[in-house]
Amino acid sequence: MLCDIIVIGGGASGLTAAISAKMCRPEASVTVCEKLDRVGRKILSTGNGRCNLSNRSVNTENYHGSVNAPAVIRDEPSADEFFSGLGIMLVADDAGRVYPYSGSAATVLSALRLKMSTLGITEECGFAVSAVDGVKDGYRLTSADGRTLSARRLIVAAGGYAAPSSGTDGAVMRLFRSRGYRTAKICPAVAPMKAFPEEIKGLKGVRAKCRLSAFSGEKLLRTEAGEIQFTENTLSGICVFNMAYLFAENEGSLTLCADFAPDISAARLSGYLSDVRKQRSGSSLEDFLTGLFGKNLAVYLTKRALRRPLTESISTLSDEDISSAAALIKNCRFRAAGASPWQNAQSTLGGITASEITPELASRREKGIYFCGEILDTAGDCGGYNLQWAWSSGWRAGRNCALSLKG
Ligand SMILES: Cc1cc2nc3c(=O)[nH]c(=O)nc-3n(C[C@H](O)[C@H](O)[C@H](O)COP(=O)(O)OP(=O)(O)OC[C@H]3O[C@@H](n4cnc5c(N)ncnc54)[C@H](O)[C@@H]3O)c2cc1C
């Protein structure tokens, strides 16, 4: 049987696209075809189960990649409009991050599925699309286990490579690449970064407020305030997550530079450390910085700045030592050793490029195919930007796909 529209991928953008298409053309038959045994698994894990589904301020600098996500988001219904249509009340925190009032991602998925069921959208779960072939009047999809489904139009919403346990392994992106679609270089976005273990020895478990800047050589690429976190071999925290895409963009030449006292000038810091030299003259270097930082960070910075045994007395510090410690606190550099594995990433930068799609999110290459969500070459920062892109692009792709059906 030839269905009107098949959506490949039952994630945030695919479910939205199906709803948008069906609301635009209620008479059309719409099926969501999902590889896993249920739709929306990734939605459930977003925002630590709370689903940070949008952000009050969406700006160009929050998105990366060739597709102009903010332009689409601005012209489509806001998160408030979309979710009030699903009966979901929203609330924003002080940083502008928007969540469902329930504080539960499960309520978002339930509301989407309720709407789909009311509209008569079909879910075809356990169908992993492995081939797409052009047939008369449309396309035939073949699943990994040999089943087929056909439709006049396709909406491709199969996501990227991030978090493969939630169904996304990049297979559909590769499938379309093999059909001639151009894709931008793929790399993890919103992800931790690998560090050189010897460079962060002693910092495991430390979380510290800082102003973090990313450099390639001496070129400043990005800076933001936040909390950096350390494991034995990784750097994480939201400010690190937001810089992950820069590792691939700069061919692996990336240094993260933490200012651990961003609100204190170097001169004031040196003055303070000189006072500490007097006040704690009877103590060992182990306690030189414990008035400023937690023990592990204090010891790490002292060791790295002074490179001498911590059993020595604070009174032995020279003015030069004080300046070195102040300089390190203001400019502590960590070289990025690599991108994190896909299972630790929340998003994918790279994907089908802007040159392959029209402003309606239709394929320029093949009639009747539309794209939305993470499969396209855009990735947002941490803070609700990726889900907002999924809703907005899904809404646009669904509507335009439905409008392209005649009659
Ligand atoms: C742990 C985690 C937390 C996150 N938290 C947030 C957050 O709080 N806020 C935010 O904005 N963003 C967050 N994100 C990112 C956000 O979830 C994604 O960017 C967004 O879900 C992408 O939506 P999508 O519809 O494009 O793709 P996905 O949600 O990845 O959906 C794609 C769907 O396609 C299916 N699929 C894949 N291949 C096939 C195939 N061959 N055949 C059929 N179906 C297929 C997959 O199983 C999946 O269901 C988080 C991501 C993760 C991993």
Side-chain angles (χ1 to χ4, degrees):
M1 196 188 80
L2 191 68
C3 172
D4 289 319
I5 298 174
I6 289 181
V7 180
I8 305 179
S13 69
L15 301 185
T16 309
I19 291 170
S20 165
K22 189 75 178 168
M23 285 176 72
C24 180
R25 272 208 197 284
E27 72 283 8
S29 50
V30 178
T31 295
V32 174
C33 151
E34 165 58 43
K35 163 180 162 181
L36 300 182
D37 56 3
R38 54 177 301 186
V39 298
R41 183 173 292 178
K42 193 180 284 178
I43 295 173
L44 295 175
S45 52
T46 58
N48 287 324
R50 292 175 58 217
C51 191
N52 174 197
L53 53 80
S54 181
N55 196 291
R56 287 281 177 240
S57 118
V58 169
N59 295 304
T60 318
E61 57 271 21
N62 299 120
Y63 289 91
H64 319 287
S66 63
V67 173
N68 188 348
V72 174
I73 292 166
R74 260 194 309 273
D75 289 347
E76 295 301 332
S78 66
D80 290 289
E81 286 164 329
F82 176 57
F83 283 99
S84 74
L86 298 179
I88 290 269
M89 188 180 277
L90 303 182
V91 62
D93 68 10
D94 294 344
R97 293 182 287 247
V98 180
Y99 295 87
Y101 188 82
S102 64
S104 155
T107 60
V108 173
L109 180 56
S110 299
L112 288 161
R113 293 192 67 219
L114 193 63
K115 188 74 174 179
M116 287 181 17
S117 141
T118 312
L119 290 168
I121 295 165
T122 310
E123 289 180 14
E124 186 74 37
C125 291
F127 192 106
V129 174
S130 63
V132 175
D133 295 292
V135 291
K136 188 173 178 298
D137 297 333
Y139 296 92
R140 184 180 60 234
L141 306 180
T142 307
S143 70
D145 56 4
R147 286 175 291 148
T148 57
L149 286 171
S150 301
R152 295 164 68 198
R153 300 283 185 274
L154 292 183
I155 301 177
V156 185
Y161 285 71
S165 57
S166 47
T168 38
D169 58 3
V172 175
M173 205 185 290
R174 290 191 294 277
L175 198 155
F176 278 88
R177 195 186 294 145
S178 73
R179 296 175 76 81
Y181 287 77
R182 275 182 294 259
T183 55
K185 188 161 123 190
I186 305 293
C187 67
V190 190
M193 265 187 263
K194 285 189 194 146
F196 290 95
E198 69 281 6
E199 202 169 84
I200 58 168
K201 197 164 170 217
L203 287 176
K204 184 179 168 189
V206 167
R207 306 162 74 111
K209 291 214 170 65
C210 69
R211 171 157 284 283
L212 193 68
S213 304
F215 287 88
S216 181
E218 287 310 307
K219 187 173 170 215
L220 175 64
L221 304 169
R222 183 176 174 136
T223 185
E224 71 178 71
E227 187 183 70
I228 188 168
Q229 298 173 19
F230 300 86
T231 69
E232 228 159 9
N233 51 15
T234 61
L235 308 172
S236 69
I238 290 174
C239 53
V240 175
F241 284 8
N242 284 342
M243 297 179 183
Y245 72 96
L246 292 169
F247 185 79
E249 254 187 31
N250 291 280
E251 314 285 344
S253 153
L254 190 71
T255 301
L256 299 185
C257 166
D259 177 348
F260 287 112
D263 47 350
I264 309 178
S265 70
R268 197 172 143 222
L269 202 52
S270 292
Y272 162 82
L273 295 178
S274 300
D275 289 346
V276 170
R277 177 171 53 184
K278 278 189 225 140
Q279 288 152 354
R280 298 191 173 184
S281 60
S283 304
S284 72
L285 287 177
E286 198 161 333
D287 278 313
F288 177 40
L289 296 179
T290 52
L292 265 183
F293 304 115
K295 183 84 179 180
N296 288 353
L297 180 59
V299 164
Y300 172 86
L301 290 168
T302 308
K303 269 191 192 159
R304 186 164 161 183
L306 305 177
R307 300 191 183 283
R308 31 203 268 224
L310 296 192
T311 46
E312 289 184 14
S313 165
I314 289 180
S315 62
T316 63
L317 290 173
S318 65
D319 288 347
E320 204 181 313
D321 291 332
I322 299 274
S323 305
S324 306
L328 183 67
I329 290 168
K330 298 293 291 172
N331 185 355
C332 187
R333 293 183 166 237
F334 303 103
R335 288 167 301 146
S340 77
W342 283 111
Q343 68 257 27
N344 297 336
Q346 293 191 7
S347 184
T348 311
L349 178 66
I352 292 171
T353 58
S355 59
E356 295 290 345
I357 50 166
T358 69
E360 290 75 32
L361 303 184
S363 162
R364 290 190 189 278
R365 214 170 266 277
E366 296 177 289
K367 196 165 169 284
I369 297 186
Y370 291 75
F371 294 94
C372 55
E374 205 174 302
I375 196 165
L376 288 169
D377 176 28
T378 182
D381 288 342
C382 194
Y385 298 99
N386 285 302
L387 281 174
Q388 182 57 69
W389 165 244
W391 319 127
S392 300
S393 60
W395 192 261
R396 178 172 293 195
R399 182 185 67 245
N400 287 310
C401 179
L403 288 174
S404 76
L405 290 165
K406 293 203 180 63

